[in-house]
């Protein structure tokens, strides 16, 4: 489903730049190709330009530079209502003066679809989101989750091939959000539509997407499948932003094959996988996932650490350790029978595989 | 939980009573805070209005000035067409003697003259001679000698008709009716002015509201959708008229609109209008509509603006993303959500317009004046306060009826001022 060349991409951003005020670029040189049927998520901190990209695709903002292509054709000069893109807004934007049924019927009316056909399509769309009995209600008479479903149904009722969603679940509570994630994912698979999804919730991005584009400061920092993103981050920002991460800083002293030796500040010597670092003598950031650290002392990278804090989380115990002067080193210990029982203040050996420690940009 | 015994609070009293006691302090405090304003409004606004409204039905001058005559007339048959008998004239003589001593007979004459012309001079003339009446001779002949009109049953009918303490006469008058010998009847053709004037007032007020809406809606839309800086400047322009005296603005329209005025000069200069056929833009209904639209426009724009400001842009975007053209988006999505603002602005402008007085008086000529100009005339020139009050009461009722009608159709909950 992933496509990387512009020729077979369904949606393509080609060297797109955007500035609102003529001084600051909020989107800098964006290149992004989205395949047909793909579920692509734009993930990033607040103000990183995600909504701006979505609005350019929908036609509500114009790109300052570059081309946006839909189905191989540039759409820069096509007004929003002719693009045929479904859209779900963060606050749903259901028309308050129309009933649910009228809301859904609206896109069909403007497409001049006959009455009986229209009623059938509205009913199908409502059934699809399990809201068949709510056609006569006003949006104000629905709960947040129900409004969300109606907004989804309205964006899908006219059968667009591309659907954009800007933080559609942002206003829901955690449980409902997880449930809706599953439903959206399910609809995406059964309808075969292309979805561009914006969120700043990383677990949402990881569970739903085929690929995730991590935005920061108007640039895509990494574009990859969720597992790649988590296990093989390409730079320090992505490693830090996705999941929990231990960061060590140091200087490269030697390189042998895929590995580098790094002198960590505080006197520790470790081996790490060279991913995105300079040559010998350069500074680097080491990234190490907390669950990849084990509490025994063998292997190439082992050291001793002092236990500072233990937090009981049911399925695992989160330990904060002091390692080589860094007192924010986190280790996750599974809550199992064979595991060692730590005590605050104790000195414990720790170790990890060289491949799990990634040397990234500084 | 359906047992009906009241919930008991910790101190053993019913919870409701405890709550009321707790709230009473708050209520008293709130009342004390608004007390000065309440008193002010009561004394300067509500009491005078109530007094004026009362004047529209009050009618005790006849029964106070001629008490004996009124009692004696009870038995007289108004339909008989005959002059009353000696007993009634005797009562009138006694009453008039007192009235003349108290100098009240001219007032009575003025009051009765509203109903029947000639009454004023009749009472004045008779009043001068009352002292010379011979208390033993039959009064009837003596009165007829003073003024033979006293033989006319019409005069007695009028006195009898106005002898009750309250009258509907002012209200009848205010809708071009009168109390004739055969009950309520239309006034003579040449005296019917008020219904026409009410009709014109409503028609002009609706025209003014409509033109305010047509001119104000696009401006409010622009204000609500421009960048904050630009819209602030525009807002100052909208508010500018508030900072200029009403008289100055109205006089400015006089300069602009008159036949030798700026607008006509320009039109003639362009060649759109012939010099000997200049447009009549002032001292008629056109003048009233133009000047009042200008004056009331901010009252339409401000509520519209504050409602439009709260319509999120995402609705418009959502509509477009669903495939609606700009026009469909506006008409089906934006406009319905701005209706509360239209309602608020229209009510405000209409109610202000219907009672407006200075501007129509200055630029309305004879065909562009409002009912309020007539009310002012009765209050300050003709001094027929009863009629003025009746006209005012009808105007007030009219506004309330229209307000109720609006509530029925649009719903007053839909009105938003911000
Ligand atoms: N209409 C606008 N005019 C001027 N600047 C804007 C406008 N909209 C967004 N910006 C700026 O562009 C930058 C990117 O905004 P954008 O809304 O795309 O961020 P985002 O990634 O969607 O953030 P969030 O997660 O908070 O929604 C921000 O710095 C913002 O201040
Ligand atoms: Mg956003």
């Amino acid at each position: 489903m992933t496509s990387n060349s512009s020729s077979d991409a369904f949606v393509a951003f080609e060297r797109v730049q955007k500035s609102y005020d003529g001084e600051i670029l909020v989107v800098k040189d964006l290149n992004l190709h989205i395949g047909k049927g793909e579920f692509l998520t734009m993930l990033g901190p607040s103000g990183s330009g995600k909504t701006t990209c979505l609005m350019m695709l929908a036609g509500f903002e114009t790109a300052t530079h570059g081309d946006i292509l839909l189905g191989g054709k540039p759409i820069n000069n096509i007004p929003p209502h002719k693009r045929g893109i479904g859209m779900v807004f963060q606050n749903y934007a259901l028309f308050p003066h129309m009933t649910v049924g009228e809301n859904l019927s609206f896109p069909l009316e403007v497409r001049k679809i006959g009455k009986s056909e229209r009623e059938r399509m509205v009913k199908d769309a409502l059934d699809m989101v399990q809201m068949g009995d709510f056609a006569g209600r006003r949006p104000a008479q629905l709960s947040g989750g129900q409004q969300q479903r109606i907004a989804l149904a309205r964006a899908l009722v006219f059968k667009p091939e591309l659907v954009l969603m800007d933080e559609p679940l942002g206003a829901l509570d955690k449980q409902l959000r997880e449930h809706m994630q599953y439903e959206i994912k399910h609809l995406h698979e059964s309808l075969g539509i292309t979805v561009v999804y914006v969120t700043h919730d990383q677990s949402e991005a990881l569970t739903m997407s085929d690929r995730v584009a991590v935005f920061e400061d108007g640039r895509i920092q990494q574009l990859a499948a969720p597992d790649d993103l988590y296990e093989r981050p390409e730079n320090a920002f992505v490693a830090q932003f996705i999941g929990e991460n231990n960061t060590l800083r140091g200087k490269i002293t030697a390189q042998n094959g895929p590995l580098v030796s790094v002198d960590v500040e505080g006197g520790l010597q470790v081996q790490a996988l060279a991913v995105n670092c300079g040559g010998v003598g350069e500074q680097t950031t080491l990234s190490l996932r907390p669950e990849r650290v084990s509490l025994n002392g063998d292997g190439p990278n082992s050291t001793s650490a002092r236990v500072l804090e233990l937090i009981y989380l049911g399925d695992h115990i989160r330990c904060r350790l002091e390692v080589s002067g860094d007192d924010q080193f986190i280790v996750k210990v599974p809550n199992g029978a064979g595991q060692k029982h730590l005590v605050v203040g104790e000195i414990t050996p720790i170790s990890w595989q060289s491949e799990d420690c990634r040397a990234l940009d500084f | 939980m359906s047992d009906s015994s009241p919930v008991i609070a910790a101190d053993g009293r019913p919870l409701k009573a405890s709550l009321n006691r707790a709230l009473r302090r708050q209520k008293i405090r709130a009342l004390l805070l608004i007390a000065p304003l309440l008193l002010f409004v009561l004394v300067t606004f509500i009491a005078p209005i109530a007094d004026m409204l009362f004047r529209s039905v009050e009618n005790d001058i006849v029964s106070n000035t001629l008490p004996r005559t009124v009692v004696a007339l009870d038995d007289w048959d108004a339909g008989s067409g005959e002059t009353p008998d000696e007993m009634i004239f005797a009562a009138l003589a006694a009453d008039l003697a007192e009235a003349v001593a108290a100098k009240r007979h001219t007032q009575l004459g003025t009051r009765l003259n509203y109903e029947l012309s000639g009454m004023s001079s009749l009472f004045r003339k008779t009043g001068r001679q009352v002292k010379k009446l011979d208390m033993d001779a039959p009064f009837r002949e003596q009165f007829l000698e003073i003024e033979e009109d006293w033989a006319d049953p019409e005069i007695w009918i009028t006195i009898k008709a106005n002898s009750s303490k309250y009258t509907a006469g002012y209200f009848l008058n205010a809708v071009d009716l009168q109390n004739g010998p055969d009950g309520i009847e239309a006034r003579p053709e040449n005296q019917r002015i008020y219904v026409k004037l009410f009709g014109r007032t409503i028609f002009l007020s609706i025209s003014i509201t409509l033109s305010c809406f047509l001119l104000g809606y696009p401006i409010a839309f622009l204000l609500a959708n421009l960048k904050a800086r630009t819209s602030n400047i525009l807002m100052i322009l909208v508010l500018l008229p508030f900072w200029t005296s009403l008289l100055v603005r109205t006089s400015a329209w006089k300069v602009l609109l008159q036949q030798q005025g700026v607008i006509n000069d320009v039109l003639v200069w362009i060649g759109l209008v012939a010099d000997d056929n200049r447009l009549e833009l002032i001292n008629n209904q056109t003048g009233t509509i133009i000047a009042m639209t200008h004056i009331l426009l901010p009252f339409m724009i401000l509520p519209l603006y504050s409602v439009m400001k709260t319509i999120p842009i995402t609705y418009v975007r959502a509509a477009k993303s669903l495939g609606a053209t700009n026009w469909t988006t506006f008409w089906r999505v934006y406009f319905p959500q701005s209706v509360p603002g239209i309602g608020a602005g229209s009510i405000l402008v209409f109610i202000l317009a219907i009672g407006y007085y200075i501007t129509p008086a200055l630029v309305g000529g004879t065909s562009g004046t409002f009912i309020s100009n007539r009310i002012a005339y009765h209050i300050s020139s003709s001094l027929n306060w009863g009629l003025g009050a009746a006209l005012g009461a009808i105007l007030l009722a009219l506004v309330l009826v229209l307000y109720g009608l609006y509530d029925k159709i649009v719903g007053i909950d839909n009105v938003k001022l911000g």
Side-chain angles (χ1 to χ4, degrees):
Chain A
M1 271 202 274
T2 307
S3 72
N4 287 312
S5 71
S6 59
S7 55
D8 62 336
F10 182 49
V11 178
F13 287 84
E14 305 273 9
R15 314 211 54 155
V16 171
Q17 293 185 328
K18 171 71 185 173
S19 172
Y20 283 106
D21 51 9
E23 286 168 19
I24 304 163
L25 280 175
V26 295
V27 174
K28 300 166 184 159
D29 195 31
L30 179 76
N31 291 289
L32 179 60
H33 298 123
I34 304 168
K36 207 170 171 82
E38 191 175 8
F39 194 120
L40 182 123
T41 298
M42 296 177 173
L43 173 69
S46 196
S48 55
K50 309 179 296 288
T51 300
T52 305
C53 288
L54 215 60
M55 289 302 155
M56 287 192 289
L57 184 50
F60 299 122
E61 297 290 351
T62 49
T64 315
H65 176 83
D67 288 320
I68 300 172
L69 296 95
L70 181 64
K73 286 189 274 299
I75 54 170
N76 291 24
N77 293 320
I78 300 179
H81 67 272
K82 291 196 179 141
R83 295 193 182 187
I85 298 175
M87 195 151 183
V88 182
F89 294 84
Q90 178 166 7
N91 49 10
Y92 317 133
L94 296 174
F95 305 136
H97 57 291
M98 299 186 191
T99 63
V100 165
E102 288 163 350
N103 261 284
L104 262 70
S105 167
F106 182 81
L108 306 175
E109 280 168 41
V110 301
R111 284 178 171 74
K112 310 229 167 10
I113 292 174
K115 189 160 191 286
S116 55
E117 175 78 354
R118 221 158 59 205
E119 280 166 3
R120 193 185 55 73
M121 290 170 82
V122 168
K123 190 176 173 307
D124 286 352
L126 283 177
D127 287 342
M128 181 176 72
V129 293
Q130 292 117 47
M131 293 286 291
D133 299 334
F134 292 81
R137 297 247 199 128
R138 298 253 165 185
Q141 299 167 323
L142 301 177
S143 73
Q146 289 169 337
Q147 291 183 31
Q148 216 293 320
R149 282 164 203 250
I150 299 303
L152 198 60
R154 189 180 65 176
L156 296 173
V157 69
F158 61 97
K159 308 213 182 322
E161 290 184 74
L162 175 61
V163 178
L164 313 182
M165 306 190 190
D166 191 357
E167 303 196 32
L169 307 180
L172 303 183
D173 65 54
K174 188 167 180 294
Q175 210 159 8
L176 196 54
R177 196 160 65 220
E178 280 165 7
H179 182 70
M180 287 305 300
Q181 285 171 10
Y182 164 78
E183 286 196 10
I184 291 174
K185 186 71 194 150
H186 184 78
L187 280 174
H188 163 246
E189 276 160 9
S190 62
L191 298 177
I193 47 175
T194 309
V195 176
V196 180
Y197 192 97
V198 165
T199 181
H200 53 222
D201 179 338
Q202 46 147 314
S203 75
E204 195 166 295
L206 295 183
T207 50
M208 298 177 81
S209 325
D210 295 323
R211 281 192 304 162
V212 178
V214 181
F215 273 68
E216 199 230 359
D217 193 24
R219 277 184 216 285
I220 294 182
Q221 298 292 336
Q222 187 170 354
L223 173 62
D227 52 344
D228 270 349
L229 212 56
Y230 186 80
E231 285 168 33
R232 287 176 282 280
E234 272 164 17
N235 57 43
F237 174 79
V238 176
Q240 193 64 32
F241 191 73
I242 308 281
E244 217 170 356
N245 182 56
N246 290 309
T247 308
L248 299 168
R249 292 167 196 284
K251 198 182 205 174
I252 300 169
T253 53
Q255 181 147 22
N256 38 12
L259 297 180
V260 284
S261 302
V262 178
D263 256 350
V264 178
E265 296 155 9
L268 183 65
Q269 267 272 348
V270 296
Q271 300 279 311
L273 189 67
V275 178
N276 184 15
C277 60
V280 173
E282 300 270 341
Q283 293 279 34
T284 181
T285 307
L286 300 178
S287 148
L288 179 60
R289 295 291 180 199
E291 67 275 11
R292 297 295 168 97
V293 181
S294 62
L295 294 178
N296 47 50
D298 24 82
N301 304 299
S302 62
T303 181
S304 59
R306 198 151 63 83
V307 180
L308 297 177
E309 193 180 8
L310 296 169
I311 296 171
Y312 179 77
L313 287 167
D315 60 335
H316 72 269
I317 294 160
R318 194 164 176 276
C319 316
R320 188 159 65 85
L321 310 175
E322 186 188 324
V323 175
S324 141
D326 170 16
D327 60 358
Q328 295 294 335
F329 197 93
I330 305 294
V331 177
K332 285 180 184 168
V333 184
N335 190 4
Q339 288 296 330
K340 213 163 123 181
H341 204 79
L342 293 177
V343 187
V344 174
E346 133 185 44
I347 306 287
T348 178
I350 54 169
S351 67
W352 60 87
Q353 298 295 315
S354 302
E355 292 75 31
D356 289 335
C357 183
R358 298 167 67 81
L360 305 172
D361 56 324
F362 187 71
Chain B
M1 287 307 286
S2 64
D3 81 295
S4 56
S5 71
V7 188
I8 305 294
D11 60 357
R13 296 152 161 277
L15 187 58
K16 258 218 163 85
S18 292
L19 182 67
N20 281 342
R21 209 157 50 100
L23 289 179
R24 196 171 311 138
R25 273 180 84 94
Q26 280 183 23
K27 280 184 192 157
I28 290 174
R29 225 171 68 106
L31 202 64
L32 282 177
L33 282 174
I34 62 161
L37 178 65
L38 199 65
L39 214 65
F40 178 78
V41 169
L42 213 65
V43 170
T44 62
F45 192 68
I46 295 179
I49 286 184
D51 181 59
M52 276 319 283
L53 291 181
F54 182 61
R55 271 167 205 270
S56 64
V57 292
E58 186 186 36
N59 191 38
D60 55 5
I61 186 161
V62 177
S63 55
N64 281 354
T65 322
L66 306 174
R68 299 179 192 84
T69 317
V70 166
V71 173
L73 271 175
D74 267 350
D75 299 331
W76 178 66
D77 177 13
S80 66
E82 285 170 25
T83 315
D85 55 22
E86 176 62 21
M87 205 182 74
I88 294 176
F89 276 99
L92 179 66
D95 283 338
L96 270 182
E98 271 179 30
V100 170
K103 294 198 167 67
R104 282 212 307 253
H105 63 292
T106 47
Q107 273 173 22
L108 178 67
T110 310
R111 165 67 187 91
L112 286 173
N113 205 54
Y114 296 150
E115 311 296 331
L116 186 68
S117 52
M119 289 294 253
S120 184
S121 60
L122 175 66
F123 271 89
R124 236 178 294 128
K125 193 167 173 195
T126 313
R128 279 197 294 271
Q129 314 266 347
V130 157
K131 275 187 225 119
K132 297 178 201 151
L133 283 177
D134 177 357
M135 285 302 156
D136 299 323
F139 288 105
R140 189 177 149 139
E141 270 88 83
Q142 296 188 54
F143 269 101
L144 290 185
E145 216 162 280
I146 296 170
E147 175 62 64
E148 58 191 28
D149 279 357
W150 283 113
D152 186 357
E154 193 81 5
I155 291 189
W156 295 96
I157 289 172
T158 307
I159 295 178
K160 189 176 161 88
N162 286 287
S163 60
S164 65
K165 276 200 174 304
Y166 301 101
T167 178
Y170 294 123
F171 277 101
L172 290 178
N173 195 346
V175 290
D176 294 342
L177 298 174
Q178 64 186 8
N179 241 328
D182 317 317
I184 295 168
E185 59 182 27
R187 281 187 165 259
E189 196 83 50
N190 59 344
Q191 288 181 27
R192 288 181 213 158
I193 50 170
Y194 297 117
V195 170
K196 214 176 92 195
L197 209 51
F198 272 116
R200 182 202 290 165
T201 304
I202 293 176
F203 166 73
L204 285 181
S205 297
I206 290 176
S207 309
I208 290 161
T209 309
L210 209 66
S211 63
C212 277
F213 166 68
L214 291 178
L215 292 175
Y217 197 92
I219 295 174
F221 181 83
L222 200 66
L223 280 173
N225 290 291
L226 279 178
K227 285 206 189 74
R229 266 209 15 227
T230 336
S231 86
N232 279 346
I233 294 173
L234 276 181
M235 187 54 106
I236 290 174
L237 294 181
V238 169
L239 292 174
L240 209 57
F242 279 139
W243 303 333
T244 323
S245 151
L246 181 64
L247 277 172
V248 171
R249 278 182 285 157
T250 307
S251 312
W253 279 115
K254 270 185 119 82
V255 174
L256 286 171
L257 293 177
Q258 57 186 270
Q259 290 214 311
Q260 302 303 321
V262 179
I263 291 179
N264 264 312
D265 281 351
V266 170
L267 288 178
V268 168
W269 183 68
I270 295 175
L272 275 176
V273 171
D275 196 13
D276 52 356
N277 190 20
R278 288 174 172 245
L279 300 178
E280 281 183 47
L281 297 172
I282 201 163
N283 295 330
N284 55 18
Q285 303 195 352
T286 317
T288 304
I289 291 179
I290 293 178
M292 285 196 40
T293 299
H294 169 235
I295 284 158
L296 295 177
L297 198 53
F299 294 99
M300 178 65 86
I301 293 177
L302 292 178
L304 271 176
Y305 166 77
S306 67
V307 167
M308 286 176 175
K309 200 78 187 150
T310 62
I311 303 175
I313 178 105
T314 48
Y315 287 129
V316 171
R317 291 187 162 176
K320 286 190 185 164
S321 82
L322 293 171
T325 56
N326 288 342
W327 170 250
T328 313
T329 301
F330 170 76
W331 182 241
R332 301 246 348 239
V333 174
Y334 195 89
F335 184 78
Q337 296 192 61
S338 67
V339 164
I342 300 174
S346 300
I347 287 193
L348 208 58
V349 169
F350 183 80
I351 289 180
L352 283 172
I354 206 170
Y356 229 72
Y357 152 65
I358 299 176
T359 307
L362 289 179
V363 299
T366 45
S367 71
T369 49
F370 278 20
I371 194 72
S372 46
N373 299 107
R374 204 64 203 167
I375 296 176
Y377 165 77
H378 282 304
I379 298 293
S380 56
S381 302
S382 82
L383 298 186
N384 187 353
W385 286 16
L387 182 55
L391 289 170
I394 291 176
L395 190 60
L396 180 64
L398 214 61
V399 169
L400 291 179
V401 165
L402 287 171
Y403 182 83
L405 214 64
Y406 181 91
D407 186 26
K408 261 244 149 55
I409 298 169
V410 184
I412 217 68
D413 303 339
N414 276 335
V415 170
K416 263 205 297 196
L417 283 171

